[in-house]
Amino acid sequence: MNFWMSSEQHALVGDAEFIARNKIEPVIERLLEQVNLDCEVDRWSFISILMPDDRVGDYPEVRRYHKSKKVIEVRVQLPLNDFNEADVPGQVSMMLDALSRSVDMMEGLKSLKITHGDTCVLKEAVEKARAELLS
């Protein structure tokens, strides 16, 4: 399984999201590279949303399954002020929390036949990444 990260962010975030993402993405990629889910998804696309309160409504959380491409796309909001006030380990932790929440969001996709085992595998990868990055 492939993993990909990106963001929709306000200029106030600066490089902080990029720094946290560059720590997380290669670790999750490595942890998932040999994984084959029962639901036969080929890629998990995660997009963090970091916008001020007055703009967050313009960037709703999204969960989609692109069946023809076998791609799960999940866009998750993170609180901008909390993210900006955190240090790098705190920002990494917040993004890992959002990744874990994105797995929960996948369960509600009607066109995706994700199993409990699949969600456990994905959450386990997130927690292994957390142990590796924050220990």
Side-chain angles (χ1 to χ4, degrees):
M1 170 180 223
N2 294 317
F3 177 74
W4 178 80
M5 287 181 82
S6 187
S7 71
E8 294 180 356
Q9 65 184 36
H10 193 275
L12 292 171
V13 177
D15 291 337
E17 185 280 336
F18 179 76
I19 291 167
R21 179 175 13 128
N22 281 345
K23 291 180 179 296
I24 295 167
E25 189 171 22
V27 174
I28 298 287
E29 283 176 341
R30 179 177 42 79
L31 292 169
L32 294 177
E33 68 186 354
Q34 299 300 318
V35 168
N36 292 308
L37 298 179
D38 293 335
C39 63
E40 299 180 359
V41 167
D42 290 337
R43 187 173 81 183
W44 174 12
S45 295
F46 173 83
I47 300 162
S48 59
I49 301 169
L50 288 152
M51 291 288 167
D53 291 343
D54 64 335
R55 298 283 321 274
V56 77
D58 298 331
Y59 297 87
E61 292 189 329
V62 173
R63 60 183 180 187
R64 289 187 189 119
Y65 176 51
H66 304 277
K67 192 172 186 173
S68 63
K69 298 176 187 176
K70 297 184 178 183
V71 173
I72 299 172
E73 173 190 346
V74 186
R75 297 170 186 245
V76 180
Q77 296 174 346
L78 283 83
L80 176 68
N81 291 335
D82 293 347
F83 188 84
N84 279 346
E85 292 172 5
D87 58 6
V88 172
Q91 292 168 338
V92 167
S93 181
M94 288 178 71
M95 289 189 76
L96 290 168
D97 290 346
L99 276 168
S100 184
R101 192 160 69 81
S102 79
V103 175
D104 294 335
M105 292 170 67
M106 291 175 195
E107 292 178 326
L109 288 164
K110 290 183 175 80
S111 60
L112 177 66
K113 305 292 188 230
I114 195 162
T115 66
H116 178 70
D118 290 343
T119 59
C120 288
V121 166
L122 296 176
K123 284 195 169 202
E124 183 178 301
V126 172
E127 291 312 309
K128 283 182 180 177
R130 184 184 308 277
E132 187 174 321
L133 293 166
L134 298 176
S135 59

